[in-house]
Amino acid sequence: MPLDLILRQARLADGGQALCDIGVAGGRIAAIAEGIAAEAPEIALDGRLVLPGFVETHIHLDKSCILDRVRNEKGTLDEAIAAVAAAKRGFTEADVYARAQRTLEQAIVNGTTRMRTHVEVDPRIGLKGFEAVRALARDYDWAIDLQICAFPQEGLTNDPGTEDLLIEACERGAHLIGGCPYTDTDPMTHIARIFALARRFDLDIDFHLDFDLDPSWMHLDEVCRQTSAHRWGGRVAVGHVTKLSAVDRSRLAEIGRRLADTGVAVTVLPATDLFLMGRGDEHHVPRGVAPAHRLIDHGVTCSLATNNVLNPFTPFGDCSLVRMANLYANVAQIGSPRELAACLAMITTLPARLINARDYGVAVGHPADLIVLDSRDPAMAVAELAQPLFGLKRGRRSFTREPAVIHRPG
Ligand SMILES: [Zn+2]
């Protein structure tokens, strides 16, 4: 069998102690076996973990890297929304492209091979952000598969002109549609309009949802109801749902079973949720991070994602999903190998399911989208923030990170 490349002595995340060789041909995985006998360039991995790349389900490329022009003095969600709403009036297509490019390249060198980015569409920005990110997706197709989710950050029913722009984004090829009912004066109609547009254009949906710590009401109920009514199960995701950090175990179990049965997936955004939640408290500040590791035990598809990078919503970020998995594990007080490995699943296989990526995984016939982590154990990779050493996208090397070197005296 003619091969272009052989990765020797690879460890797969679900492969236990067994090692295997991975043969790549024509941009695809052509063979996975012990001791592949073929003539091709080889890379010895010495038992290191090979993953099909990290999957980012929720990031905002269009409003990343704007701390040089706008900040969040009080640190509240309201201030972040208002500050970015004002700043984006000054965004140009070239400006969005340049900032988004910087953020996307960070994600690539941190091992992300697939990404869903939310892009704001409303009368302040028009379709400038959408067009800039669409051009970026085309230009970086060699390194990453980018899904664009057009969404109304400032609300829909309260923001005249927004729905027409959303429709135009869908007509121009948005991959899916998002919603943000918590900023709308009529959240129920907002949710209903997003489902109507999703049906009209046959698109998946991704909501920003229930982004506070009051568990006495949830928009999640209406999203589940509409998902069932439209038979859209498996095509709906919700991000944040920080309210779920404020319910007891039995209610969480009830909600988890409902989400699993309805086919609504959950993305937790630890960096932003930790930064913005509990701002009313001066001591004993709640963590405000939804317990994704408990939801997956009820069968919910959960992912951990980056959300915002260097903007008023989150003035941090390096686009490392390993860092996000480690942050989540730390905040959620996770220490067992089983649950640490589940955190790795929440930046790989589970988000791949969330974005309905059908050809993801280290399997013969799939695209050779592969990263090598400097680790020999899935749980320890999360515990130690294992860095990716290099990555392939469709068989071609897309990035390399040289490991640090100690220079001893003498
Ligand atoms: Zn978001």
Side-chain angles (χ1 to χ4, degrees), residues 268-295:
V268 171
L269 305 158
T272 303
D273 298 344
L274 282 166
F275 184 69
L276 293 177
M277 293 296 99
R279 286 286 176 162
D281 295 278
E282 288 188 340
H283 62 282
H284 283 313
V285 178
R287 299 170 190 222
V289 176
H293 65 296
R294 299 219 165 92
L295 291 172

Short mmCIF file of all heavy atoms in Angstrom, two decimals, residues 268-295:
data_model
loop_
_atom_site.label_atom_id
_atom_site.label_comp_id
_atom_site.label_asym_id
_atom_site.label_seq_id
_atom_site.Cartn_x
_atom_site.Cartn_y
_atom_site.Cartn_z
N VAL A 268 -19.99 24.77 27.80
CA VAL A 268 -19.61 25.54 28.99
C VAL A 268 -18.38 26.37 28.64
O VAL A 268 -17.46 25.89 27.96
CB VAL A 268 -19.34 24.58 30.18
CG1 VAL A 268 -18.74 25.32 31.36
CG2 VAL A 268 -20.64 23.90 30.59
N LEU A 269 -18.38 27.62 29.11
CA LEU A 269 -17.35 28.59 28.72
C LEU A 269 -16.65 29.09 29.99
O LEU A 269 -16.93 30.18 30.50
CB LEU A 269 -18.02 29.73 27.95
CG LEU A 269 -18.83 29.18 26.74
CD1 LEU A 269 -19.90 30.15 26.28
CD2 LEU A 269 -17.90 28.81 25.61
N PRO A 270 -15.76 28.25 30.55
CA PRO A 270 -15.24 28.52 31.90
C PRO A 270 -14.60 29.89 32.08
O PRO A 270 -14.82 30.55 33.10
CB PRO A 270 -14.20 27.40 32.11
CG PRO A 270 -14.56 26.34 31.13
CD PRO A 270 -15.17 27.05 29.96
N ALA A 271 -13.82 30.34 31.11
CA ALA A 271 -13.08 31.60 31.30
C ALA A 271 -14.05 32.78 31.44
O ALA A 271 -13.93 33.60 32.36
CB ALA A 271 -12.11 31.83 30.15
N THR A 272 -15.02 32.87 30.54
CA THR A 272 -15.98 33.97 30.59
C THR A 272 -16.92 33.84 31.78
O THR A 272 -17.21 34.83 32.47
CB THR A 272 -16.82 34.00 29.29
OG1 THR A 272 -15.93 34.12 28.18
CG2 THR A 272 -17.79 35.16 29.29
N ASP A 273 -17.41 32.63 32.02
CA ASP A 273 -18.37 32.44 33.10
C ASP A 273 -17.73 32.79 34.45
O ASP A 273 -18.34 33.44 35.29
CB ASP A 273 -18.91 31.01 33.08
CG ASP A 273 -19.67 30.72 31.78
OD1 ASP A 273 -20.02 31.69 31.08
OD2 ASP A 273 -19.90 29.53 31.46
N LEU A 274 -16.48 32.39 34.65
CA LEU A 274 -15.78 32.73 35.89
C LEU A 274 -15.53 34.23 36.01
O LEU A 274 -15.60 34.80 37.09
CB LEU A 274 -14.42 32.02 35.94
CG LEU A 274 -14.44 30.55 36.33
CD1 LEU A 274 -13.10 29.91 36.01
CD2 LEU A 274 -14.77 30.39 37.81
N PHE A 275 -15.26 34.87 34.86
CA PHE A 275 -14.94 36.31 34.90
C PHE A 275 -16.18 37.15 35.17
O PHE A 275 -16.11 38.15 35.89
CB PHE A 275 -14.29 36.73 33.57
CG PHE A 275 -13.84 38.17 33.58
CD1 PHE A 275 -12.77 38.57 34.37
CD2 PHE A 275 -14.49 39.13 32.80
CE1 PHE A 275 -12.37 39.91 34.40
CE2 PHE A 275 -14.08 40.46 32.83
CZ PHE A 275 -13.02 40.85 33.62
N LEU A 276 -17.33 36.77 34.60
CA LEU A 276 -18.51 37.64 34.67
C LEU A 276 -19.54 37.28 35.74
O LEU A 276 -20.32 38.14 36.17
CB LEU A 276 -19.21 37.68 33.30
CG LEU A 276 -18.45 38.36 32.17
CD1 LEU A 276 -19.23 38.24 30.87
CD2 LEU A 276 -18.17 39.82 32.48
N MET A 277 -19.60 36.03 36.17
CA MET A 277 -20.64 35.65 37.13
C MET A 277 -20.28 36.06 38.56
O MET A 277 -19.11 36.22 38.90
CB MET A 277 -20.90 34.14 37.06
CG MET A 277 -21.52 33.67 35.74
SD MET A 277 -23.17 34.36 35.43
CE MET A 277 -22.81 35.70 34.32
N GLY A 278 -21.33 36.21 39.37
CA GLY A 278 -21.14 36.50 40.80
C GLY A 278 -20.58 37.87 41.08
O GLY A 278 -19.99 38.10 42.14
N ARG A 279 -20.75 38.81 40.14
CA ARG A 279 -20.18 40.14 40.35
C ARG A 279 -20.88 40.93 41.45
O ARG A 279 -20.36 41.93 41.92
CB ARG A 279 -20.25 40.93 39.02
CG ARG A 279 -19.21 40.46 38.01
CD ARG A 279 -17.84 40.94 38.43
NE ARG A 279 -16.79 40.43 37.53
CZ ARG A 279 -15.58 40.95 37.46
NH1 ARG A 279 -15.26 41.98 38.21
NH2 ARG A 279 -14.67 40.44 36.65
N GLY A 280 -22.09 40.45 41.88
CA GLY A 280 -22.79 41.13 42.97
C GLY A 280 -22.24 40.75 44.34
O GLY A 280 -22.57 41.38 45.33
N ASP A 281 -21.41 39.73 44.38
CA ASP A 281 -20.90 39.26 45.67
C ASP A 281 -19.48 39.78 45.92
O ASP A 281 -18.67 39.80 45.00
CB ASP A 281 -20.87 37.73 45.69
CG ASP A 281 -22.26 37.13 45.60
OD1 ASP A 281 -22.91 37.06 46.65
OD2 ASP A 281 -22.70 36.79 44.49
N GLU A 282 -19.25 40.16 47.17
CA GLU A 282 -17.90 40.64 47.51
C GLU A 282 -17.05 39.57 48.15
O GLU A 282 -15.83 39.66 48.17
CB GLU A 282 -18.01 41.85 48.43
CG GLU A 282 -18.51 43.08 47.68
CD GLU A 282 -18.44 44.33 48.52
OE1 GLU A 282 -18.38 44.21 49.76
OE2 GLU A 282 -18.47 45.42 47.93
N HIS A 283 -17.69 38.55 48.73
CA HIS A 283 -16.93 37.43 49.29
C HIS A 283 -17.75 36.16 49.05
O HIS A 283 -18.91 36.23 48.69
CB HIS A 283 -16.63 37.63 50.77
CG HIS A 283 -17.86 37.71 51.62
ND1 HIS A 283 -18.63 38.84 51.71
CD2 HIS A 283 -18.46 36.79 52.40
CE1 HIS A 283 -19.64 38.62 52.51
NE2 HIS A 283 -19.58 37.37 52.94
N HIS A 284 -17.12 34.99 49.23
CA HIS A 284 -17.76 33.71 48.85
C HIS A 284 -18.34 33.82 47.45
O HIS A 284 -19.49 33.49 47.21
CB HIS A 284 -18.85 33.32 49.84
CG HIS A 284 -18.32 32.75 51.11
ND1 HIS A 284 -17.35 31.77 51.16
CD2 HIS A 284 -18.64 33.02 52.41
CE1 HIS A 284 -17.09 31.47 52.42
NE2 HIS A 284 -17.83 32.22 53.21
N VAL A 285 -17.58 34.33 46.54
CA VAL A 285 -18.06 34.56 45.16
C VAL A 285 -18.31 33.20 44.50
O VAL A 285 -17.44 32.33 44.51
CB VAL A 285 -17.01 35.35 44.35
CG1 VAL A 285 -17.48 35.55 42.91
CG2 VAL A 285 -16.72 36.69 45.01
N PRO A 286 -19.55 32.98 43.98
CA PRO A 286 -19.84 31.69 43.34
C PRO A 286 -19.02 31.51 42.06
O PRO A 286 -18.63 32.49 41.43
CB PRO A 286 -21.33 31.79 43.01
CG PRO A 286 -21.61 33.25 42.94
CD PRO A 286 -20.67 33.92 43.89
N ARG A 287 -18.75 30.24 41.72
CA ARG A 287 -17.95 29.98 40.51
C ARG A 287 -18.78 30.20 39.25
O ARG A 287 -18.26 30.67 38.25
CB ARG A 287 -17.40 28.55 40.57
CG ARG A 287 -16.50 28.36 41.77
CD ARG A 287 -16.11 26.92 42.02
NE ARG A 287 -15.45 26.84 43.33
CZ ARG A 287 -14.36 26.12 43.59
NH1 ARG A 287 -13.82 25.37 42.67
NH2 ARG A 287 -13.83 26.12 44.79
N GLY A 288 -20.05 29.84 39.30
CA GLY A 288 -20.95 30.15 38.17
C GLY A 288 -20.63 29.40 36.89
O GLY A 288 -20.87 29.89 35.79
N VAL A 289 -20.07 28.20 37.02
CA VAL A 289 -19.71 27.38 35.85
C VAL A 289 -20.60 26.13 35.86
O VAL A 289 -20.58 25.37 36.84
CB VAL A 289 -18.22 26.98 35.89
CG1 VAL A 289 -17.88 26.05 34.73
CG2 VAL A 289 -17.34 28.25 35.84
N ALA A 290 -21.38 25.93 34.80
CA ALA A 290 -22.31 24.79 34.75
C ALA A 290 -21.53 23.47 34.84
O ALA A 290 -20.47 23.33 34.21
CB ALA A 290 -23.13 24.84 33.48
N PRO A 291 -22.04 22.50 35.62
CA PRO A 291 -21.30 21.25 35.85
C PRO A 291 -21.43 20.28 34.67
O PRO A 291 -22.16 19.29 34.73
CB PRO A 291 -21.95 20.69 37.12
CG PRO A 291 -23.31 21.27 37.16
CD PRO A 291 -23.28 22.57 36.44
N ALA A 292 -20.66 20.53 33.64
CA ALA A 292 -20.73 19.73 32.42
C ALA A 292 -20.40 18.25 32.68
O ALA A 292 -21.03 17.36 32.09
CB ALA A 292 -19.77 20.29 31.38
N HIS A 293 -19.43 17.99 33.58
CA HIS A 293 -19.03 16.60 33.81
C HIS A 293 -20.17 15.79 34.43
O HIS A 293 -20.22 14.57 34.28
CB HIS A 293 -17.77 16.54 34.68
CG HIS A 293 -17.95 17.07 36.07
ND1 HIS A 293 -18.24 18.38 36.33
CD2 HIS A 293 -17.89 16.44 37.28
CE1 HIS A 293 -18.34 18.54 37.65
NE2 HIS A 293 -18.13 17.38 38.24
N ARG A 294 -21.09 16.45 35.14
CA ARG A 294 -22.25 15.73 35.68
C ARG A 294 -23.29 15.55 34.59
O ARG A 294 -23.96 14.51 34.51
CB ARG A 294 -22.86 16.50 36.86
CG ARG A 294 -21.88 16.67 38.01
CD ARG A 294 -22.56 16.52 39.36
NE ARG A 294 -21.54 16.33 40.39
CZ ARG A 294 -21.00 17.34 41.08
NH1 ARG A 294 -21.37 18.59 40.86
NH2 ARG A 294 -20.08 17.08 41.99
N LEU A 295 -23.43 16.54 33.72
CA LEU A 295 -24.43 16.44 32.64
C LEU A 295 -24.07 15.30 31.68
O LEU A 295 -24.96 14.61 31.19
CB LEU A 295 -24.53 17.77 31.87
CG LEU A 295 -25.15 18.94 32.66
CD1 LEU A 295 -25.00 20.23 31.86
CD2 LEU A 295 -26.62 18.67 32.96
#
